[in-house]
Amino acid sequence: MLQSLIFDMDGTLFQTDKILELSLDDTFNHLRALNQWDTGTPIDKYREIMGKVWEALLPIHSDEMRKYTDDYFLKSLVENIRKGKGALYPNVKEVFSYLKENNCSIYIASNGLREYLEAIVDHYDLNNWVTETFSIQQIQTLDKGELVKTIIKKYDIKYAAVVGDRLSDINAAKDNGLMAVGCNFDFAQEAELAQADVVIDDLKELKTIVSNINSSLSI
């Protein structure tokens, strides 16, 4: 029986696009007010370089100003979530309810920061279904495979799947001997999804996947 599903957050459960541009605009408007920026908001560049974002977007600024900007951006993201300006992907709660009804535990493993993840979980009442949410901040290596391993060890999980939209999610599954479910959503890339065990276009497809797996194992 498929014991657990471990979900990514951004681009898998939460439609990050809904608040990304809005929060980036808030942040760069603030920089303009501080006379630290005088052109348009670099949203396209942000999409290209998610990772070491502020070094790339603010190449001539000090590390102190980059840290200040990053903190402000996080604050803006959280405020926009709490104002209801974001959204879950379709069918998240329907799928979560189905999984719980079928004795499948749910976890979240995300590269997002704790405060950001807590804002999403709280606003959408995801703790009604999710056993625990894990942030990459909880491990020193910042490796998603290690984060998933932490969940497996803590909850003694034997058979599970990782559900996510990026290669880091797929690799996290494979590194731990789990099934990798790739989500063909907003941030997904075809070459990365090709490495998943199965690819879905809608979260509701998980209901069929879980049902088929559990039926085959019960035979």
Side-chain angles (χ1 to χ4, degrees):
M1 179 177 176
L2 193 60
Q3 183 184 1
S4 307
L5 264 70
I6 302 170
F7 289 86
D8 174 46
M9 178 66 88
D10 289 315
T12 299
L13 297 176
F14 186 68
Q15 297 186 58
T16 316
D17 264 8
K18 297 280 188 183
I19 61 166
L20 184 64
E21 185 169 353
L22 183 63
S23 299
L24 204 63
D25 264 335
D26 289 344
T27 301
F28 277 85
N29 283 336
H30 184 65
L31 289 180
R32 290 182 191 101
L34 297 174
N35 293 317
Q36 292 288 331
W37 195 257
D38 60 4
T39 59
T41 300
I43 183 66
D44 290 335
K45 188 170 183 181
Y46 183 93
R47 294 174 188 276
E48 292 174 7
I49 50 109
M50 288 179 182
K52 291 191 174 182
V53 171
W54 301 114
E55 290 89 336
L57 293 186
L58 303 176
I60 65 172
H61 292 69
S62 67
D63 288 341
E64 182 181 10
M65 179 54 67
R66 291 171 185 161
K67 176 64 167 59
Y68 173 86
T69 304
D70 189 42
D71 290 343
Y72 190 91
F73 182 55
L74 175 61
K75 179 182 176 182
S76 180
L77 284 169
V78 169
E79 287 180 353
N80 283 321
I81 290 166
R82 290 174 176 164
K83 290 176 182 176
K85 295 184 178 180
L88 298 176
Y89 277 95
N91 305 311
V92 168
K93 293 186 177 182
E94 174 187 335
V95 170
F96 277 9
S97 294
Y98 173 86
L99 294 174
K100 293 295 285 186
E101 289 168 4
N102 286 272
N103 300 312
C104 187
S105 54
I106 301 167
Y107 305 91
I108 293 172
S110 172
N111 289 332
L113 302 181
R114 285 193 191 94
E115 185 179 355
Y116 169 74
L117 297 173
E118 287 171 0
I120 296 171
V121 169
D122 290 346
H123 185 78
Y124 297 101
D125 297 320
L126 296 184
N127 278 333
N128 289 333
W129 302 276
V130 176
T131 301
E132 188 171 351
T133 298
F134 291 77
S135 165
I136 201 71
Q137 285 180 294
Q138 294 173 235
I139 57 170
Q140 292 184 339
T141 63
L142 301 181
D143 178 79
K144 200 156 196 180
E146 289 296 319
L147 186 62
V148 169
K149 183 183 292 185
T150 299
I151 300 173
I152 292 171
K153 288 184 176 180
K154 179 172 182 178
Y155 288 96
D156 192 28
I157 296 169
K158 305 299 183 186
Y159 189 29
V162 176
V163 183
D165 65 316
R166 298 308 304 269
L167 186 59
S168 60
D169 305 303
I170 295 167
N171 286 340
K174 293 186 174 183
D175 290 347
N176 289 283
L178 305 181
M179 179 182 181
V181 179
C183 297
N184 188 22
F185 299 166
D186 296 316
F187 296 107
Q189 297 183 15
E190 186 176 352
E192 295 182 358
L193 292 178
Q195 300 184 52
D197 295 307
V198 62
V199 176
I200 60 175
D201 296 309
D202 190 301
L203 287 169
K204 67 183 178 183
E205 295 173 49
L206 288 172
K207 295 165 69 173
T208 300
I209 292 171
V210 170
S211 176
N212 289 343
I213 290 174
N214 291 345
S215 295
S216 65
L217 291 175
S218 64
I219 295 174

